[in-house]
Amino acid sequence: MDPKTVAQALYQIGGPDITDPRDCAVYLLDLGELVLIDAGAGPSYDKIVHNIEDIGLNPAKLTSIILTHCHIDHIGGAPQFRDAFGCRIIMHQIDAKPVEEGNEGQTAASWYNLAFPPMPVDVKLQREEERLRFGDQEIVCLHTPGHTPGSISVYLDRGGKRILFGQDIHGPFSEEFGSDLAAWRRSMERLLALEGDIICEGHFGVFQPKENVAAYIEHYLEQYRGRG
Ligand SMILES: [Zn+2]
Ligand SMILES: [Zn+2]
């Protein structure tokens, strides 16, 4: 399948049905400079670059990759982007550790039978909430632990809509990942309170409008009620 326009200046350029079955959903923001939200599993790197060109954008304008957490289906392509375009890697400091160490278990590289060499993380987020600026656009990164200890959710207000990037808020949850269901529930309540109009999810695509965003998050809260 081809890349899809999600909203003004926002595209889905990678994902299981677009680039490689192992890929998470990869989103691209065109803010004058280009910003990627997650990078896919790695083998699809060339296809993702091609998709950026396919929508008429220049991959050389890629300045930043925001990684929502440390799993290989989200980070695997990041070293290639960093090497090719010099873009900075932004993620939470807790999940940055296994990425910088190339930890095969915590990055889930061994699950996917893919290699992940250690990669430097350029910007390590440390606070509950951090605001990044790209031109006149502010992007907010929220620490939303649960799936992994250093998972973040990202949101921005654009074109009158609030757009959330939830990625793996659906789980799965495992000891090896350092998952924490109690922390996850608190994170999900924070996301619900944002009242997003669009949620860009990590494996299941894009949900909108507002009531479908809330229903999506509440569906998982219900599924894991009373567990952990
Ligand atoms: Zn994950
Ligand atoms: Zn994932």
Side-chain angles (χ1 to χ4, degrees):
M1 260 172 71
D2 293 331
K4 306 174 223 187
T5 303
V6 178
Q8 182 209 357
L10 170 61
Y11 309 89
Q12 186 185 349
I13 57 169
D17 56 348
I18 297 177
T19 41
D20 187 295
R22 294 166 289 190
D23 283 348
C24 70
V26 179
Y27 298 100
L28 178 74
L29 282 160
D30 175 16
L31 306 171
E33 55 189 298
L34 301 180
V35 179
L36 268 191
I37 313 279
D38 286 338
S44 61
Y45 166 77
D46 288 334
K47 281 189 187 164
I48 294 175
V49 172
H50 174 82
N51 283 348
I52 296 173
E53 291 164 344
D54 211 43
I55 52 178
L57 296 171
N58 180 359
K61 291 178 111 176
L62 198 61
T63 62
S64 308
I65 305 181
I66 300 174
L67 297 175
T68 59
H69 65 292
C70 64
H71 288 160
I72 187 87
D73 49 324
H74 299 257
I75 66 170
Q80 295 171 83
F81 284 106
R82 189 175 183 274
D83 286 351
F85 305 111
C87 45
R88 55 187 187 148
I89 306 295
I90 303 167
M91 68 187 301
H92 195 274
Q93 67 164 352
I94 299 174
D95 272 29
K97 191 162 184 283
V99 170
E100 292 195 314
E101 289 170 354
N103 183 310
E104 290 199 343
Q106 279 174 282
T107 61
S110 48
W111 274 35
Y112 281 80
N113 205 15
L114 289 167
F116 186 78
M119 174 181 72
V121 173
D122 305 290
V123 178
K124 291 173 195 159
L125 307 173
Q126 299 179 24
R127 290 191 289 270
E128 281 292 292
E129 178 180 311
E130 300 217 21
R131 290 168 184 270
L132 308 173
R133 187 158 277 284
F134 300 90
D136 59 359
Q137 180 69 55
E138 189 171 66
I139 294 185
V140 186
C141 298
L142 291 179
H143 183 207
T144 50
H147 175 57
T148 67
S151 286
I152 60 168
S153 299
V154 175
Y155 75 90
L156 68 155
D157 295 319
R158 192 167 180 85
K161 293 202 190 310
R162 173 160 289 180
I163 303 165
L164 304 183
F165 297 87
Q167 304 303 67
D168 285 7
I169 62 174
H170 58 275
F173 303 97
S174 104
E175 219 166 282
E176 190 175 20
F177 298 164
S179 300
D180 180 338
L181 272 170
W184 173 77
R185 285 191 189 92
R186 290 192 292 275
S187 296
M188 293 308 100
E189 295 299 340
R190 287 183 76 198
L191 290 190
L192 279 172
L194 292 174
E195 299 190 351
D197 297 292
I198 300 175
I199 190 164
C200 299
E201 217 278 341
H203 294 271
F204 303 118
V206 177
F207 297 82
Q208 55 183 319
K210 195 172 271 189
E211 48 273 28
N212 288 346
V213 173
Y216 180 81
I217 299 168
E218 282 162 354
H219 163 79
Y220 287 102
L221 278 169
E222 186 57 39
Q223 186 172 324
Y224 288 98
R225 191 172 300 282
R227 305 235 322 246

